[in-house]
């Protein structure tokens, strides 16, 4: 098994675990992307997770309301995983 297969298997397992906490597939993908890159703008996180930027803002707002993500009050808004 090569490295890429291991990473894909790991990501699939993490997404499955996040679904157990009540997150949707897209929310899990965004959260995993945020964990991967650290802190970032919504556009960067959306790009890394291959989700539309407008939808990404809504997903990040939902994650923030659920307590998975924090954000700054600055402009641009920077999101961080908890």
């Amino acid at each position: 098994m090569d490295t890429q297969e291991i990473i894909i298997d790991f990501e699939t397992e993490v997404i499955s675990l996040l679904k157990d906490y009540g997150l949707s597939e897209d929310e899990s993908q965004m959260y995993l992307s945020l964990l991967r890159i650290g802190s970032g703008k919504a556009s960067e996180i959306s790009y890394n997770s291959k989700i539309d930027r407008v939808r990404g803002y809504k997903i990040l707002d939902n994650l923030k309301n659920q307590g998975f993500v924090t954000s700054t009050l600055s402009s641009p808004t920077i999101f961080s995983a908890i």
Side-chain angles (χ1 to χ4, degrees), residues 14-77:
V14 170
I15 287 172
S16 175
L17 290 172
L18 289 171
K19 285 182 180 180
D20 290 342
Y21 283 98
L23 298 183
S24 69
E25 179 82 24
D26 287 344
E27 288 172 333
S28 299
Q29 191 68 31
M30 288 285 285
Y31 187 71
L32 191 60
S33 292
L34 185 56
L35 287 173
R36 199 178 303 121
I37 66 169
S39 299
K41 299 186 295 186
S43 58
E44 296 168 341
I45 302 163
S46 296
Y47 177 78
N48 285 322
S49 61
K50 297 179 176 83
I51 293 176
D52 180 58
R53 182 178 49 87
V54 175
R55 178 144 168 73
Y57 275 105
K58 292 178 183 176
I59 291 170
L60 288 167
D61 190 46
N62 287 341
L63 289 172
K64 181 180 170 186
N65 291 336
Q66 293 177 26
F68 286 93
V69 172
T70 61
S71 65
T72 62
L73 296 175
S74 64
S75 182
T77 304

Side-chain angles (χ1 to χ4, degrees), residues 1-10:
M1 191 182 297
D2 69 349
T3 305
Q4 189 167 4
E5 289 175 358
I6 293 171
I7 291 171
I8 291 171
D9 290 342
F10 176 76

